[in-house]
Amino acid sequence: MNDEMKELEEKEKVLDSFDDEIKNEDDDEEGVIISDELDVLLDYIISHIKEKDIKSLKSVASGIKDVELLYIINELSHKEKAIFFRVLSKDQALHVFEQLDTALQKELLDSFADSQTVEFIEDLDVDDRVQLLEELPATVAKKFIAMLSPEERKTTNMLLGYDIDTAGRIMTPEFISLRRKMTANEALQKVRRQAKEDKETIYTLYVTDETKKLEGVISLKSLLIAEPNALIENIMTTSVVKVSTGTHQEEAAEALKEFDLLAIPVVDAEDRIVGIITIDDAVDILEHEATEDMYAQAGLANITSKETNRSEALVRGNLWAVWKVRLPFLFISLAGGLGLGFVMGFFEDILESIVMVAFFIPLIMDVGGSVGNQSTTIFVRGVALGQVDTKRFAKHLGREVGMGLSIGAVVGVLAGTVAAIWGHFSSDMAILGLAVGLALMITSTIAALIGFLVPFILVKLKLDQAAGAAPIITVIKDMTGILIYFLFVFIFMNAWINVDPIICETCYTVVCETCNICKTCYLALLYNG
């Protein structure tokens, strides 16, 4: 018992020093405590949760920064999360809740009473609210929407009415609009009033007419430095970067990044501004799309359009759920493997006559696979970052094929040289090395071609830009690579060396051409004697 008291006292000393650090910090600097102290803080919180010491929990929680709260919440058990979350202030709870992934948000909502849940959902930013409602079961989401206030219900339903993954679905209608005939002073007064209403951003302001048609944009900085009596129409920018409600969310996020904006306006078919997308939303979108691309490139079929559900199914789902995700594209690999076996069977005579041919098969397959995967990754990443323009695809494709050819030439020369050295520069091994080198060069070129072409075709078919690309490319690359290799071997070895096999007179098996010894009989003699 004394040991426990001493340990608790040591933890409280750390917490006291932590509180002192917070009090002494400059208001403009957000300090974050180191991981060791966070672990002590976590232990302290868990011990007080077990003791149900709510008063102490509230006291310590009030001094913890949001980034540290996120770490702590993620480390607590389901029951501990529910208890600790309830001791946070409303502002803390809302801010932390918006940063959590959807699965954890649903987990916390399950621990609330219905009335508390509805109040919490209503207090969320409308775009975060819509994202959460999308992840909830339809019957539960409808119940919560029905319990919202009329104004919030109208706004939520408006966003839910747009197609999934569009700018209209992820935008927030919380922005500040100005009129062109306002003075800078009048505009600032409006910004001050509306900023108190928890607008999504006040750093970018939009100028509209009476029908909400977008006429221009002005930054808060420009407004602050303008003369008080200057008209908004004289200081606003009329060339506005904007997206429509039907624009794909990834394209909208890319526009934000490309033009280095804090927010981008979303307009309807009549050019009326209906909402904005902020930079924090863009970061979430690009992360989500990159995760989707990685799953798809690995050949993980889409179990659902929801990333969270897909990830949860892969990690925690039952056997059938995992099978549905992982097996479909692997069947393509299975079919390709069987086809590859057929191709190799067709050249069985060459393999029996020249055993060394088989030694280089893994090399042909591995190099081609690496080049193909590199090309696919370059394409997917380039499209995601806006560096590959699908409208100018032929130019990008030509460059990548050239790269594949040059890489294949370098690797082919190295592999052919190694093959010749391996055979002590004998004429037959030199010819085999030539076949290996040429096969590698052509295989690498084809791999680069299909590595770019396959995902591009999927884009044109309105499918995920990397869905199943890796398994499809692997099958095409392996079959073409082995076929090209065996064709070169057949042409060169038939033309320049005797490929008629030497048959052992004792056991009637093929004699090794390199050493002219029947391995079957020779091994048998060793075994017998």
Side-chain angles (χ1 to χ4, degrees), residues 320-383:
W320 176 242
V322 175
W323 276 4
K324 287 193 296 182
V325 178
R326 302 184 68 170
L327 281 179
F329 283 113
L330 295 181
F331 286 140
I332 298 175
S333 297
L334 175 62
L338 295 174
L340 188 60
F342 175 78
V343 171
M344 293 181 68
F346 186 77
F347 293 97
E348 182 180 359
D349 291 342
I350 291 179
L351 284 171
E352 289 182 353
S353 302
I354 314 167
V355 179
M356 291 293 290
V357 169
F359 295 173
F360 296 96
I361 291 176
L363 176 66
I364 302 293
M365 296 173 66
D366 289 346
V367 171
S370 297
V371 173
N373 289 336
Q374 285 177 347
S375 297
T376 304
T377 302
I378 290 169
F379 176 84
V380 172
R381 184 175 181 273
V383 170

Side-chain angles (χ1 to χ4, degrees), residues 375-396:
S375 297
T376 304
T377 302
I378 290 169
F379 176 84
V380 172
R381 184 175 181 273
V383 170
L385 296 177
Q387 296 164 347
V388 172
D389 183 1
T390 54
K391 295 177 182 178
R392 301 169 59 205
F393 177 72
K395 178 181 178 182
H396 297 295

Side-chain angles (χ1 to χ4, degrees), residues 135-428:
E135 300 288 346
L136 293 174
T139 53
V140 177
K142 287 179 182 177
K143 181 181 73 172
F144 287 145
I145 291 172
M147 297 172 72
L148 294 173
S149 66
E151 184 180 350
E152 295 296 337
R153 184 165 62 248
K154 179 181 177 181
T155 304
T156 302
N157 283 329
M158 180 192 73
L159 293 187
L160 287 171
Y162 294 109
D163 291 337
I164 293 174
D165 292 341
T166 61
R169 196 63 172 260
I170 61 166
M171 69 183 181
T172 174
E174 300 295 334
F175 61 91
I176 297 177
S177 62
L178 306 173
R179 294 283 187 268
R180 63 187 308 151
K181 293 301 181 181
M182 279 183 170
T183 64
N185 190 43
E186 290 172 338
L188 280 173
Q189 289 178 8
K190 184 174 182 179
V191 170
R192 292 191 189 98
R193 288 195 307 271
Q194 295 200 357
K196 298 176 182 178
E197 300 174 12
D198 197 23
K199 297 295 182 183
E200 186 80 6
T201 179
I202 62 170
Y203 300 109
T204 306
L205 311 165
Y206 301 95
V207 184
T208 63
D209 64 11
E210 293 76 10
T211 62
K212 290 191 175 180
K213 283 190 176 180
L214 186 61
E215 295 184 318
V217 64
I218 183 172
S219 68
L220 181 61
K221 178 182 178 181
S222 298
L223 193 61
L224 287 170
I225 62 177
E227 292 295 328
N229 294 325
L231 293 177
I232 294 298
E233 64 181 359
N234 294 330
I235 54 177
M236 70 180 187
T237 301
T238 54
S239 57
V240 185
V241 178
K242 57 191 174 183
V243 295
S244 68
T245 53
T247 302
H248 193 278
Q249 61 177 12
E250 187 175 6
E251 187 178 336
E254 287 293 345
L256 263 166
K257 182 170 70 69
E258 181 180 352
F259 293 99
D260 198 22
L261 303 173
L262 293 176
I264 191 168
V266 182
V267 297
D268 62 13
E270 297 177 357
D271 206 34
R272 294 176 300 190
I273 183 170
V274 290
I276 61 171
I277 298 173
T278 54
I279 189 63
D280 58 324
D281 296 322
V283 171
D284 292 339
I285 292 163
L286 293 176
E287 181 181 351
H288 168 80
E289 295 291 342
T291 302
E292 275 195 342
D293 289 344
M294 285 188 289
Y295 271 132
Q297 191 176 353
L300 300 176
N302 195 359
I303 185 175
T304 170
S305 60
K306 306 282 191 286
E307 175 191 334
T308 303
N309 291 344
R310 187 195 312 178
S311 178
E312 191 170 345
L314 288 170
V315 176
R316 303 176 184 172
N318 57 35
L319 183 62
W320 176 242
V322 175
W323 276 4
K324 287 193 296 182
V325 178
R326 302 184 68 170
L327 281 179
F329 283 113
L330 295 181
F331 286 140
I332 298 175
S333 297
L334 175 62
L338 295 174
L340 188 60
F342 175 78
V343 171
M344 293 181 68
F346 186 77
F347 293 97
E348 182 180 359
D349 291 342
I350 291 179
L351 284 171
E352 289 182 353
S353 302
I354 314 167
V355 179
M356 291 293 290
V357 169
F359 295 173
F360 296 96
I361 291 176
L363 176 66
I364 302 293
M365 296 173 66
D366 289 346
V367 171
S370 297
V371 173
N373 289 336
Q374 285 177 347
S375 297
T376 304
T377 302
I378 290 169
F379 176 84
V380 172
R381 184 175 181 273
V383 170
L385 296 177
Q387 296 164 347
V388 172
D389 183 1
T390 54
K391 295 177 182 178
R392 301 169 59 205
F393 177 72
K395 178 181 178 182
H396 297 295
L397 180 64
R399 182 179 186 279
E400 187 60 24
V401 170
M403 288 293 178
L405 179 61
S406 63
I407 291 170
V410 172
V411 176
V413 169
L414 290 174
T417 303
V418 170
I421 294 173
W422 194 355
H424 304 289
F425 296 101
S426 62
S427 60
D428 55 344

Side-chain angles (χ1 to χ4, degrees), residues 17-34:
S17 64
F18 165 59
D19 290 336
D20 291 339
E21 288 177 16
I22 292 175
K23 291 173 183 177
N24 294 329
E25 282 176 349
D26 189 285
D27 292 339
D28 294 328
E29 295 181 359
E30 291 290 333
V32 180
I33 58 176
I34 58 175

